[in-house]
Amino acid sequence: MAKKKVVKTNAIRLVEQKKIAYHEYSYEWSENHLGAAEVATKLGQNPAQVFKTLVAIGNKTGVIVAVIPGNHELDLKKLAKASGNKKVDMIHLKDLEQTTGYIRGGCSPIGMKKLFPTFIDQTAKTFPTIIISAGKRGLQLEIAVGDLEGLVQGELVDLIE
């Protein structure tokens, strides 16, 4: 019987290249249920531990990345302050893939086309690991917060409402 070939995403390749421990989760996804809270339910995980990756544009810095718990909303004013911007707006969905290399529902903070300034909500440090997108819909990876910080040169800050 032929072994099913596992497609590796940029995020997983980078994690493996750096020899970082991780756990992979796959699940059935649908266009209507791409949010981190729904993913947490499908995986049977704590929604506060499943983080979503949001991409924004600052008026001074350009593209910035926010990684926040799936059961919260991003506070754009807090992101602007943390990133040294006066104003921050979410990236237009049509520009997401061209900018990051990822699509909605499969955007990982790891392995984007460029290493953008990345801000991780400080609640991440309350967990030994967090679960983030592995770079495609239906695939998540669990990683130690310190390892994620190092990989994306991220900064832990208060980002949620």
Side-chain angles (χ1 to χ4, degrees):
M1 191 154 149
K3 188 176 175 189
K4 187 178 174 191
K5 184 171 178 5
V6 178
V7 177
K8 296 216 171 162
T9 63
N10 284 345
I12 290 175
R13 273 193 287 279
L14 269 171
V15 168
E16 289 181 347
Q17 180 184 10
K18 300 286 185 189
K19 299 185 181 354
I20 293 171
Y22 73 97
H23 181 78
E24 199 175 297
Y25 298 93
S26 58
Y27 60 94
E28 292 294 317
W29 64 274
S30 75
E31 195 68 47
N32 299 327
H33 299 96
L34 293 173
E38 288 100 345
V39 171
T41 301
K42 284 190 179 272
L43 299 179
Q45 299 290 329
N46 177 352
Q49 196 172 357
V50 178
F51 280 58
K52 56 188 172 185
T53 304
L54 302 171
V55 182
I57 299 182
N59 67 316
K60 292 182 180 172
T61 61
V63 177
I64 48 179
V65 178
V67 183
I68 67 167
N71 59 348
H72 285 277
E73 295 298 317
L74 175 63
D75 184 322
L76 290 172
K77 286 184 174 140
K78 288 180 180 178
L79 179 60
K81 184 176 179 185
S83 63
N85 287 286
K86 286 225 180 286
K87 187 175 184 332
V88 167
D89 291 306
M90 296 303 296
I91 194 169
H92 290 288
L93 195 54
K94 66 179 179 50
D95 298 327
L96 182 66
E97 186 175 8
Q98 182 182 349
T99 303
T100 66
Y102 292 126
I103 60 171
R104 178 180 159 266
C107 189
S108 178
I110 302 169
M112 290 188 177
K113 286 183 173 181
K114 288 171 65 178
L115 186 59
F116 297 111
T118 302
F119 301 89
I120 304 164
D121 186 69
Q122 64 191 7
T123 58
K125 65 184 170 198
T126 62
F127 302 103
T129 59
I130 60 170
I131 300 167
I132 58 173
S133 173
K136 83 178 217 189
R137 293 174 177 171
L139 193 61
Q140 298 282 305
L141 70 88
E142 185 172 356
I143 186 170
V145 176
D147 288 337
L148 176 61
E149 273 184 278
L151 260 177
V152 299
Q153 297 173 17
E155 187 179 332
L156 286 171
V157 294
D158 178 19
L159 292 175
I160 56 178
E161 294 180 350

